Amino acid sequence: AVVSTQSTGDAEAQITEPMDDTDLQQRVERQQVLVSGLKEHEPLYDHIFVLGEGLVSLCSPSAGVPINDKLETLQQQWEELKIHCVQEQESLKERNVVVVSV
């Protein structure tokens, strides 16, 4: 069974009962896709962030605020995704399942 909880209002799955092999396999497959995507897209994320910071530096202070706000949001979401991935890795390790880490 899965319970959705998180103080920010976003749903985050937490396991409350043992999973069967099919559920566990699906979870491992999702984690592998997530890890692969993070590794693949991290250089692109870094590039976009550097370009965005350069763009902000070229703008007037008032024009740069919305761009900077978007960059901060992007960075926060990226970090949250990586944290989620690490937490999922730990959860799977507790079940003696190993997935390539971030």
Side-chain angles (χ1 to χ4, degrees):
V2 175
V3 176
S4 294
T5 60
Q6 192 170 21
S7 60
T8 61
D10 296 332
E12 181 177 301
Q14 295 182 349
I15 298 176
T16 57
E17 294 178 12
M19 299 178 79
D20 65 24
D21 288 344
T22 302
D23 291 337
L24 186 58
Q25 181 61 35
Q26 289 173 347
R27 191 170 163 191
V28 168
E29 289 170 3
R30 284 192 308 267
Q31 182 67 9
Q32 288 171 332
V33 168
L34 180 60
V35 168
S36 175
L38 284 172
K39 286 182 177 184
E40 178 183 338
H41 290 95
E42 188 145 28
L44 297 172
Y45 163 80
D46 292 339
H47 184 69
I48 288 170
F49 199 74
V50 168
L51 290 176
E53 288 178 330
L55 182 59
V56 168
S57 71
L58 296 173
C59 294
S60 68
S62 62
V65 169
I67 297 168
N68 196 49
D69 289 347
K70 293 287 185 183
L71 288 173
E72 287 177 6
T73 299
L74 178 64
Q75 185 175 22
Q76 179 182 0
Q77 291 172 340
W78 185 259
E79 292 304 317
E80 288 172 2
L81 182 59
K82 290 186 343 184
I83 288 168
H84 170 76
C85 189
V86 169
Q87 290 171 339
E88 183 69 4
Q89 293 287 99
E90 293 301 318
S91 177
L92 289 170
K93 282 181 187 176
E94 289 172 7
R95 296 174 178 280
N96 294 322
V97 177
V98 178
V99 180
V100 177
S101 61
V102 178

